[in-house]
Amino acid sequence: MEAYPEDYVSSLVPLCVLAGLDVDESAAHQLQVNGPRVGSNNAQIRGSRAKVLKDAFLRVQDSDIGIDEGGTVEKQRIALRFTQAVSLEDLYQSYVNAYRAAAIHLSRSKSEPAGIYGRRSGELARLYKSATDSLRDNQLKHEMANIRNALEDSKYRSRYAVILVGDHSVVNGPELEERVINIRRAARLDEKCLFFLDANIEAPKLQHFAEKVVTTMYPHAVEFYRELTRHARRKRDRGSNPSHNLSRLGWLARYEYKLGIFAEFCNDMEAAARHYNTSMMALFDGQGPVETTSSWSPRFNEARLWSDTTFIRLMRAQIATSATTAAVKSWTRHRDRSRDLLERKAKGVETYGHLTWESRWSRIMSELVRSSPALQSLGTDDQSTQDVKQVMRVFSPTEIRDLQDPQVSQTISPWHFLHHAGYWLRRSVAYTRRRLLFALDIPEEDRVPPGRSPASAVARRNEAYDTYLSLEPHVEWEASQDAKGAQILSIAQDLNQAASDFHAHHQIRFSDSLRLELCEQLMRASQHAQAITVLKPLWERTHWRGEQWRHLLQKLTATLYYCALESRDSCLRLSTLWELSHSLLNSESGIQYSIHSCLKDIGNTQETQVFHVKGGSILSCLEFAFSFPLKPAFVSVPLEAQLTAKYEAHGSCEPICLQSITVHLEGGIASFKIKHAETSSPIKSKHQRLQLQEFHPEITDSKHENTKVATSDLRFEAGQRKDFNVSLHPEDVGICKVDAITATIQEGNAQVKYTLPSANLQRKHAWTLLAVDSAESRTRAKLSQTRTKIDIQPRPSRLSVSFFGLRNVYYTDEEIEFELVVNNEEDESAEVAVEVEALSEATEVPDMRWLGETADENNKQDSGSLSTALGSLLPSRTHSKRVLLEPAKNSCDLIVEARLIYTLPSSDGRKISKVAHADVVIIRPFEASYQIFAEYHEDPWPDYFHIQDEVSGAEISDLEPTDVKCEGITSTWQYRVQITSLAPDTLHMKDISLAARPLKPMAKITSTQEDLPEDGVHLTSSDQHITSFTLEVQKSSIDEQRPVATVPRLRVAWKRVDVAESRVNETEIELPRTSLASSEPRVLARKLDTNEQRTVAIEYIIENPSLHFLTFNVSVESGDDFAFSGPKSRTLQLTPLSRNGVKHSFMPFLPGIQIQPDVRVTDVHFNKALSVIPTGVLRSTVGELTASVEDPG
């Protein structure tokens, strides 16, 4: 907007001048000395305090202030200016700043001014430094009164406020408040216009204080402009015409323009937009000033200026209210109206003047978009998807909400969405370029200044050229001839700013394209260094390579090459020429595609110059591929790899000759270098097999000292490919990979090193094989993935170790014996040592020992592992060692690992290892389950009335269970044990025993068992064997009432059947814990012998092992299938430690049937029913009491 007068287009806000701060007048906006000045003899506010105050007020200016008026919050803006002395005329008339009021004058002559103008309201805030004492109070009162009187006597509306800056806090000076009140009254100031700033005020409160001062001053200024608005509205409504210089529509446009100006001062942008829009409708009406003014009249351009500035203010108001679509429509509408007006009444639109206006009109929109606070959040809206966020960064959403309505959506086009500033700058650049083309076509006769041209030529020029806000034809032509002129630089500046805007809105490709145009423009202006600064980062990171935009990439690289050539940037020139030589890019006539010629041109110096070109980031005319073979690699075993080099250049490129190619390897293989060797005749075959030499003394690279060297012809024609097969020698175990490949070209004192990292090697590689019947090579038809790293494994061992004598399954408590056999298949003798180790996840691993070794030798071994030296083993010879694993107590899975470690005479002392494994499964041979039953013991119980305790409780606690002298009650129990075989083999059980000991020394347990057959018992997989054991439990004394706890252990002696001389093993199975011989009363039922064949005699014995007198009720219920004799109901009283029986005879009604007599025994004292425990033959298989009488017949 620099082409328009600043007062016409500047933003309008009320002005507030703060005097009394000692600020830098050179940095602040100056006041012109016109009219009387209001001075002060008081000291200025200086130092850091003045700076803090100024910054606080400036933060208020830069932010909108909320003013609460009538319950509504309005955001207002104000312009602040700082000075030391005030000129009243300058305060209201000539204050030069960016916030000036519009004053557009339309007049016919100097003697008849008539037009549009705006009045200003000024606000003055004076800062005084408050003294510590009251001696200067009268001076302050007098000076304040003089300023107030001067302001009242002037013809301007103003508001005067005073800020007293204290030297100390009100807390330390209580009289300050009274002094401030006296000063205000003496100066006749309003209560709201006197402020006191405490010396100890904090920064947040200081900001609030500044806002309070401004908000106090602001309503007065706004009210002034509201009065002017009401006055102008009344004059407009009366339809009065103060003069005849303007028509009725002209005065309507003038009044609406004034109302818009006043609305801007009040920050009512919606009202301002309405008034400006009405003014524009009146201007472009058929009877309005624009249409009724002749194009030859000087006032025609004044009317155009009026309409332009009105539209600028209209668009600014619309953007401020977020009516972005309306702003774009206003911009488009005014552009179309102007084009139509020029086509109909003026010189048309195909002139450099109109193109100047088009460029300026697009730049104005970009400035409005960039300067508007309403569009600062463009692209930050919280949307649900990333795509929508990306769109929001490019353009602002429309304020129209009814887009679903077809009638509304038809009026909205994509370009009606307000785009960011870069979009408009790009349009401006396009029109500026067209303007240059039109300027170059200006005829010779019009290039002469008017003073040297005839009057007829000057008149013809005035009719042919549109010079509205543009240059005269001769000046325009001269400007177009200057390569560093304002127009060329303007295009460069606009392109640079537009590229930054597109990049900021994540339109990266558009930004890159604009930067390329910018550099072309800088080249035309001969600013090659600046073009390199812009273009080089773009060239290094451009997306056009990966996305294969080859024409753009070629244009970019060629432009950078020409800039490097002009600025003599040798490294950049080589790098760009390296990329331009690639076959994917077309050749250009102005470039010599010869790297050697480029190096000759650069190397004409005494010093050696080395240039580095890094591959991967650019298109390289020299491509490499390297691949290890797919077969495994071993230490000291030759490994053949293949290197492929191709000069991927187009036909215009001259041949190249590489000085060397170096392949840098990391890991257990030495790097190697291929040097160029001149040959008398070129090699026809493109495939060569190279023999690497040992370490070369010329190699000085400290990073790759172990480089080996080979030689070959490294001359390449355009498009030529060469394959090199090299035999590598792995030296160490581990991962070996390609680090980088470096190619060197030397010409004179200039050298270029091209380095290609391994990450940028060709991903696909066709392995080339030598043909058997000719010197030509053939290529595999199928492409294989490039293998740039390989795992080097230890040299494969030709010694073997085998396990003999191992079974599929072993059992716990069984020794494991096997044999290790070592066989030497090497071609030479070997010094062999063997290590054997048993590995398992179990916490305990069985011990191992060598069979046939002395006890001392075996004692030297670690638990779970063995090692010994076998000595020298001749080729094709074997050696064996027997190993014994001790019996394992628990089942587990073992891995027996045998490791051979040996050296060969040809291995230079390097140890070679071979490892073999064998799985050993150890399981339990048996599992056992049991049932326990009570039995009747025949021994009599002791007499309660004749008891003698010979062993005291204190003595018993110190004895072992086997040493206890027991005189207590003896009880009998039967253990019925079921043994199940878990072994897949047939096992022979030779003996079974049950060991039970009390956990505490309170009783003695004696065990007896059923006899096994003489030849034992054979069990196969899942077979079962049932055996019974009788336990007699005798407590230590009759006073012992605790139950006896024991953990029985079942011992089974067994051996394998399939081995003739198998060792007998003993396996112990721990049964669950059991409590026996409780002190609770119980009822046992036993069968008595009788001579009656049809009856069953049963005695129910009630035992009272406790130390209490107990009473029991015994009753027998009748049954449907038997009859009985004996008491039906009886009461028994038992003394402590006694038992008594009740006998009954039962006769089944039918012989051979099972009966279950229902005998109930109840403890009278505890009212507890006791269960009847059957013994002997009365116990069924499920433990219930059953009885039967066999059929005598």
Short mmCIF file of all heavy atoms in Angstrom, two decimals, residues 35-64:
data_model
loop_
_atom_site.label_atom_id
_atom_site.label_comp_id
_atom_site.label_asym_id
_atom_site.label_seq_id
_atom_site.Cartn_x
_atom_site.Cartn_y
_atom_site.Cartn_z
N GLY A 35 3.17 25.58 16.64
CA GLY A 35 2.24 26.07 17.64
C GLY A 35 2.85 26.09 19.02
O GLY A 35 4.02 25.75 19.24
N PRO A 36 2.06 26.53 20.00
CA PRO A 36 2.57 26.65 21.38
C PRO A 36 2.89 25.29 21.97
O PRO A 36 2.25 24.30 21.69
CB PRO A 36 1.41 27.32 22.12
CG PRO A 36 0.20 26.96 21.33
CD PRO A 36 0.65 26.90 19.90
N ARG A 37 3.92 25.28 22.86
CA ARG A 37 4.34 24.06 23.50
C ARG A 37 3.98 24.13 24.98
O ARG A 37 4.05 25.17 25.61
CB ARG A 37 5.84 23.82 23.35
CG ARG A 37 6.28 23.64 21.90
CD ARG A 37 7.78 23.58 21.80
NE ARG A 37 8.36 22.49 22.55
CZ ARG A 37 8.50 21.24 22.08
NH1 ARG A 37 8.11 20.98 20.84
NH2 ARG A 37 9.04 20.30 22.81
N VAL A 38 3.63 22.98 25.52
CA VAL A 38 3.33 22.88 26.94
C VAL A 38 4.54 22.27 27.60
O VAL A 38 4.86 21.09 27.36
CB VAL A 38 2.07 22.02 27.20
CG1 VAL A 38 1.81 21.91 28.68
CG2 VAL A 38 0.88 22.64 26.49
N GLY A 39 5.30 23.03 28.37
CA GLY A 39 6.54 22.55 28.96
C GLY A 39 6.35 22.18 30.42
O GLY A 39 5.28 22.28 31.01
N SER A 40 7.49 21.74 31.04
CA SER A 40 7.46 21.32 32.43
C SER A 40 8.85 21.52 33.00
O SER A 40 9.85 21.24 32.36
CB SER A 40 7.04 19.87 32.55
OG SER A 40 7.15 19.43 33.89
N ASN A 41 8.87 21.99 34.24
CA ASN A 41 10.14 22.14 34.95
C ASN A 41 10.45 20.95 35.85
O ASN A 41 11.48 20.95 36.52
CB ASN A 41 10.12 23.43 35.79
CG ASN A 41 10.01 24.67 34.93
OD1 ASN A 41 10.60 24.70 33.84
ND2 ASN A 41 9.30 25.67 35.41
N ASN A 42 9.56 20.01 35.88
CA ASN A 42 9.77 18.83 36.72
C ASN A 42 10.75 17.88 36.05
O ASN A 42 10.84 17.82 34.83
CB ASN A 42 8.45 18.10 36.96
CG ASN A 42 7.70 18.69 38.16
OD1 ASN A 42 7.94 18.30 39.29
ND2 ASN A 42 6.83 19.66 37.88
N ALA A 43 11.44 17.14 36.90
CA ALA A 43 12.41 16.15 36.38
C ALA A 43 11.68 15.02 35.66
O ALA A 43 10.57 14.64 36.03
CB ALA A 43 13.25 15.59 37.54
N GLN A 44 12.33 14.54 34.62
CA GLN A 44 11.76 13.42 33.86
C GLN A 44 11.95 12.11 34.63
O GLN A 44 12.85 11.99 35.46
CB GLN A 44 12.43 13.31 32.49
CG GLN A 44 12.40 14.58 31.68
CD GLN A 44 10.99 14.92 31.24
OE1 GLN A 44 10.21 14.04 30.93
NE2 GLN A 44 10.67 16.21 31.20
N ILE A 45 11.10 11.11 34.32
CA ILE A 45 11.26 9.77 34.88
C ILE A 45 12.37 9.09 34.09
O ILE A 45 12.25 8.89 32.88
CB ILE A 45 9.96 8.96 34.80
CG1 ILE A 45 8.80 9.77 35.40
CG2 ILE A 45 10.12 7.63 35.51
CD1 ILE A 45 8.97 10.09 36.86
N ARG A 46 13.47 8.74 34.76
CA ARG A 46 14.65 8.26 34.04
C ARG A 46 14.99 6.83 34.46
O ARG A 46 14.42 6.26 35.39
CB ARG A 46 15.85 9.17 34.33
CG ARG A 46 15.62 10.64 34.00
CD ARG A 46 16.82 11.48 34.38
NE ARG A 46 16.56 12.89 34.15
CZ ARG A 46 16.70 13.51 32.99
NH1 ARG A 46 17.11 12.83 31.94
NH2 ARG A 46 16.45 14.80 32.86
N GLY A 47 15.99 6.32 33.71
CA GLY A 47 16.60 5.04 34.08
C GLY A 47 15.73 3.83 33.78
O GLY A 47 14.85 3.85 32.90
N SER A 48 16.00 2.79 34.53
CA SER A 48 15.30 1.52 34.29
C SER A 48 13.81 1.62 34.60
O SER A 48 12.99 0.93 33.99
CB SER A 48 15.92 0.41 35.16
OG SER A 48 15.84 0.75 36.53
N ARG A 49 13.45 2.49 35.51
CA ARG A 49 12.04 2.62 35.84
C ARG A 49 11.25 3.19 34.66
O ARG A 49 10.12 2.77 34.40
CB ARG A 49 11.88 3.52 37.07
CG ARG A 49 10.52 3.38 37.72
CD ARG A 49 10.48 4.03 39.06
NE ARG A 49 9.30 3.64 39.79
CZ ARG A 49 8.93 4.18 40.94
NH1 ARG A 49 9.70 5.11 41.49
NH2 ARG A 49 7.84 3.78 41.56
N ALA A 50 11.85 4.13 33.94
CA ALA A 50 11.19 4.68 32.76
C ALA A 50 11.00 3.60 31.70
O ALA A 50 9.97 3.53 31.04
CB ALA A 50 12.00 5.85 32.20
N LYS A 51 12.03 2.75 31.54
CA LYS A 51 11.94 1.68 30.53
C LYS A 51 10.85 0.67 30.91
O LYS A 51 10.09 0.20 30.06
CB LYS A 51 13.28 0.98 30.40
CG LYS A 51 13.31 -0.08 29.32
CD LYS A 51 14.69 -0.68 29.21
CE LYS A 51 14.75 -1.69 28.06
NZ LYS A 51 13.74 -2.75 28.18
N VAL A 52 10.76 0.32 32.20
CA VAL A 52 9.74 -0.64 32.64
C VAL A 52 8.35 -0.07 32.42
O VAL A 52 7.43 -0.76 31.95
CB VAL A 52 9.97 -1.00 34.13
CG1 VAL A 52 8.80 -1.82 34.66
CG2 VAL A 52 11.26 -1.78 34.28
N LEU A 53 8.17 1.21 32.73
CA LEU A 53 6.86 1.84 32.50
C LEU A 53 6.51 1.86 31.02
O LEU A 53 5.36 1.57 30.63
CB LEU A 53 6.87 3.26 33.06
CG LEU A 53 6.63 3.42 34.57
CD1 LEU A 53 6.86 4.84 34.99
CD2 LEU A 53 5.22 2.96 34.93
N LYS A 54 7.48 2.22 30.18
CA LYS A 54 7.21 2.27 28.75
C LYS A 54 6.84 0.89 28.22
O LYS A 54 5.89 0.76 27.43
CB LYS A 54 8.44 2.81 28.03
CG LYS A 54 8.26 2.87 26.52
CD LYS A 54 9.52 3.38 25.84
CE LYS A 54 9.35 3.37 24.33
NZ LYS A 54 10.56 3.82 23.63
N ASP A 55 7.57 -0.14 28.64
CA ASP A 55 7.26 -1.48 28.17
C ASP A 55 5.87 -1.93 28.60
O ASP A 55 5.16 -2.60 27.84
CB ASP A 55 8.31 -2.48 28.70
CG ASP A 55 9.69 -2.24 28.11
OD1 ASP A 55 9.75 -1.58 27.06
OD2 ASP A 55 10.68 -2.69 28.71
N ALA A 56 5.47 -1.55 29.80
CA ALA A 56 4.13 -1.92 30.28
C ALA A 56 3.06 -1.26 29.43
O ALA A 56 2.06 -1.90 29.05
CB ALA A 56 3.98 -1.52 31.75
N PHE A 57 3.24 0.02 29.06
CA PHE A 57 2.25 0.70 28.24
C PHE A 57 2.26 0.16 26.80
O PHE A 57 1.21 0.08 26.16
CB PHE A 57 2.50 2.21 28.25
CG PHE A 57 1.96 2.90 29.47
CD1 PHE A 57 2.79 3.29 30.49
CD2 PHE A 57 0.60 3.13 29.60
CE1 PHE A 57 2.30 3.92 31.61
CE2 PHE A 57 0.08 3.76 30.72
CZ PHE A 57 0.94 4.16 31.75
N LEU A 58 3.44 -0.22 26.30
CA LEU A 58 3.50 -0.77 24.95
C LEU A 58 2.80 -2.13 24.86
O LEU A 58 2.21 -2.46 23.84
CB LEU A 58 4.95 -0.89 24.50
CG LEU A 58 5.66 0.43 24.15
CD1 LEU A 58 7.10 0.18 23.77
CD2 LEU A 58 4.92 1.16 23.02
N ARG A 59 2.89 -2.92 25.92
CA ARG A 59 2.17 -4.19 25.92
C ARG A 59 0.67 -3.97 25.89
O ARG A 59 -0.08 -4.75 25.30
CB ARG A 59 2.57 -5.02 27.14
CG ARG A 59 3.92 -5.69 27.00
CD ARG A 59 4.12 -6.74 28.08
NE ARG A 59 4.19 -6.15 29.41
CZ ARG A 59 5.31 -5.74 29.99
NH1 ARG A 59 6.47 -5.89 29.34
NH2 ARG A 59 5.30 -5.23 31.20
N VAL A 60 0.22 -2.89 26.51
CA VAL A 60 -1.21 -2.55 26.44
C VAL A 60 -1.58 -2.16 25.02
O VAL A 60 -2.64 -2.53 24.50
CB VAL A 60 -1.53 -1.42 27.43
CG1 VAL A 60 -2.98 -0.97 27.27
CG2 VAL A 60 -1.28 -1.87 28.85
N GLN A 61 -0.70 -1.42 24.32
CA GLN A 61 -0.98 -1.01 22.94
C GLN A 61 -1.05 -2.21 22.01
O GLN A 61 -1.89 -2.26 21.11
CB GLN A 61 0.11 -0.05 22.47
CG GLN A 61 0.01 0.30 21.00
CD GLN A 61 1.16 1.16 20.54
OE1 GLN A 61 1.10 2.37 20.65
NE2 GLN A 61 2.22 0.54 20.06
N ASP A 62 -0.16 -3.21 22.21
CA ASP A 62 -0.10 -4.35 21.30
C ASP A 62 -1.22 -5.34 21.53
O ASP A 62 -1.43 -6.24 20.72
CB ASP A 62 1.24 -5.07 21.47
CG ASP A 62 2.40 -4.19 21.03
OD1 ASP A 62 2.14 -3.26 20.24
OD2 ASP A 62 3.53 -4.41 21.50
N SER A 63 -1.95 -5.24 22.63
CA SER A 63 -3.04 -6.18 22.92
C SER A 63 -4.34 -5.42 23.03
O SER A 63 -4.37 -4.24 23.39
CB SER A 63 -2.77 -6.94 24.22
OG SER A 63 -2.68 -6.04 25.31
N ASP A 64 -5.42 -6.12 22.69
CA ASP A 64 -6.74 -5.52 22.83
C ASP A 64 -7.14 -5.49 24.29
O ASP A 64 -6.92 -6.44 25.05
CB ASP A 64 -7.77 -6.31 22.02
CG ASP A 64 -7.49 -6.21 20.54
OD1 ASP A 64 -6.75 -5.29 20.17
OD2 ASP A 64 -8.00 -7.06 19.79
#
